[in-house]
Amino acid sequence: MNTPDALPPVPPAIIEHQEVPEGRVVQGHDMTFHAPVFGELVSSGGRVFLENTLGWGKVVNPAGHVHGKQRAFNATVQAPGGVVHLEKAESCLIIGREVTVREAVKCQIFAHTLHIGTAAGCMIAGRDLHIRHAKDYKHEPTLITLVVPEMPDLNEVLAPHHAEIAELTPRVQALSERIEAFKADALLAQYLSIRAKVRSGMLELSGDKAAGYAQMAERLEDTAKALEAAVAERRPLAKALAIATTQVQTLQQEQAARLADCRCKIDTVGGETIVRQLLEVHDDPDLSLIPLPMIPKILFRNDASLKFLYAVHAGKVDWTAA
């Protein structure tokens, strides 16, 4: 009998040993295919294992895992928010949060994090890319677009904080120097110690000691009040200075954190490879969750909003956003 707290039943795993022909749609959760797939696989998360070829077909598995152990060609693999591992892909569209391909030829790849052994004539867009070897394919370059979150001009944002820091710093410093000068007076320090104990009731003075304390008070009380006034004046200024400094550091750290995974490393370039940067208003921590219609617009974009970083035929690339 079901109860209000009962968990929904887990769909049974699907294991297919026969070919999935073109036009057939297989739906499930955890699916394994031992024969070639030419149709469409739709998974509600979980894992999709392709032990054989994926050709002219499609795999859709949002937030799931797709693992192809053999060749994929003229196929689509969509795992937004998920993980894709393919051995060899030719003329495929591949989308995922983390994508790993041993060899990609003439593919369109959109991934937040991408690891490729060899990329030949591919169109790639992502945020954190590592490619061991990039080259062209039949005179078609490998085109890489780094999608970097558009950031506000930090200098403009920080300008009022810097102005406040510049105004407060000398004032706090001058008061601190004045306070330290007061504290350097050993006699004043002794008087303040005795006065504190007397006021708290920890020490009672009488006779000569009381008279001596009165003489000290007559001579040093004005200095003590000046010290207290300096301390009181510095307190709100030092607090405001600390807040402004912290705000600057926080904004700088936040921007650095948002740019920390914006990088492109290519160990070896062996043919025409173009790397460019696109500033995009997108705060989602997973780039692959960008709405699907936007992905081809980014992959094929070619306008003044793109900044070209590298156009190389040989060597290597090691770029990090700053």
Side-chain angles (χ1 to χ4, degrees):
M1 183 174 67
N2 290 334
T3 66
D5 295 327
L7 295 174
V10 178
I14 294 175
I15 300 177
E16 290 263 358
H17 291 277
Q18 296 188 8
E19 177 183 302
V20 178
E22 185 178 354
R24 183 185 170 197
V25 179
V26 181
Q27 297 184 346
H29 188 74
D30 286 311
M31 302 190 286
T32 300
F33 297 85
H34 292 280
V37 173
F38 300 98
E40 183 173 345
L41 313 179
V42 181
S43 181
S44 58
R47 295 173 178 268
V48 176
F49 286 99
L50 304 168
E51 299 286 346
N52 210 303
T53 301
L54 172 66
W56 303 98
K58 184 176 184 179
V59 180
V60 180
N61 191 12
H65 188 131
V66 179
H67 191 168
K69 298 183 69 174
Q70 294 194 32
R71 178 173 173 245
F73 61 93
N74 298 101
T76 297
V77 178
Q78 295 177 11
V83 179
V84 177
H85 287 263
L86 299 175
E87 274 297 300
K88 183 172 183 178
E90 300 174 31
S91 301
C92 293
L93 170 63
I94 305 166
I95 300 169
R97 171 178 54 82
E98 182 176 344
V99 174
T100 301
V101 184
R102 184 179 62 81
E103 182 180 0
V105 179
K106 291 286 292 178
C107 288
Q108 299 170 18
I109 305 174
F110 194 95
H112 188 96
T113 301
L114 176 64
H115 305 277
I116 295 185
T118 299
C122 293
M123 297 184 70
I124 297 168
R127 185 160 293 171
D128 184 357
L129 312 180
H130 182 200
I131 302 171
R132 292 187 181 277
H133 184 66
K135 60 182 181 179
D136 57 354
Y137 180 77
K138 294 184 178 179
H139 306 295
E140 289 291 330
T142 287
L143 178 62
I144 298 169
T145 303
L146 291 157
V147 185
V148 177
E150 188 170 9
M151 311 292 278
D153 186 342
L154 206 56
N155 291 328
E156 292 184 7
V157 175
L158 295 179
H161 299 300
H162 283 311
E164 185 178 12
I165 291 170
E167 190 268 331
L168 290 173
T169 298
R171 295 173 62 187
V172 172
Q173 184 175 354
L175 287 167
S176 297
E177 291 173 355
R178 187 179 182 194
I179 291 167
E180 291 303 316
F182 281 133
K183 289 182 176 180
D185 186 335
L187 189 60
L188 177 62
Q190 182 184 10
Y191 167 67
L192 292 174
S193 176
I194 296 171
R195 189 184 70 171
K197 292 177 182 178
V198 170
R199 289 180 174 179
S200 66
M202 294 176 57
L203 179 64
E204 293 185 4
L205 301 176
S206 60
D208 292 343
K209 289 185 178 180
Y213 174 70
Q215 290 177 357
M216 289 182 71
E218 183 178 357
R219 183 169 47 171
L220 297 171
E221 185 61 23
D222 288 345
T223 306
K225 288 180 178 179
L227 169 59
E228 291 167 346
V231 170
E233 183 182 355
R234 183 183 67 171
R235 189 176 295 115
L237 298 178
K239 183 179 180 180
L241 177 59
I243 291 172
T245 302
T246 299
Q247 288 174 330
V248 168
Q249 293 172 345
T250 299
L251 288 168
Q252 290 173 334
Q253 289 168 359
E254 287 177 351
Q255 180 154 315
R258 290 183 63 193
L259 295 175
D261 66 345
C262 298
R263 52 182 171 251
C264 177
K265 184 176 182 181
I266 305 175
D267 297 336
T268 305
V269 177
E272 187 178 5
T273 300
I274 299 170
V275 182
R276 56 193 192 166
Q277 174 187 291
L278 173 64
L279 298 178
E280 187 71 27
V281 180
H282 178 67
D283 293 328
D284 199 300
D286 181 356
L287 187 65
S288 72
L289 297 177
I290 279 181
L292 189 61
M294 289 183 60
I295 291 176
K297 294 179 181 179
I298 291 174
L299 282 168
F300 292 95
R301 196 159 179 170
N302 189 17
D303 56 38
S305 65
L306 290 157
K307 177 182 178 182
F308 283 81
L309 302 173
Y310 299 91
V312 290
H313 289 78
K316 61 181 180 180
V317 172
D318 194 351
W319 179 88
T320 302

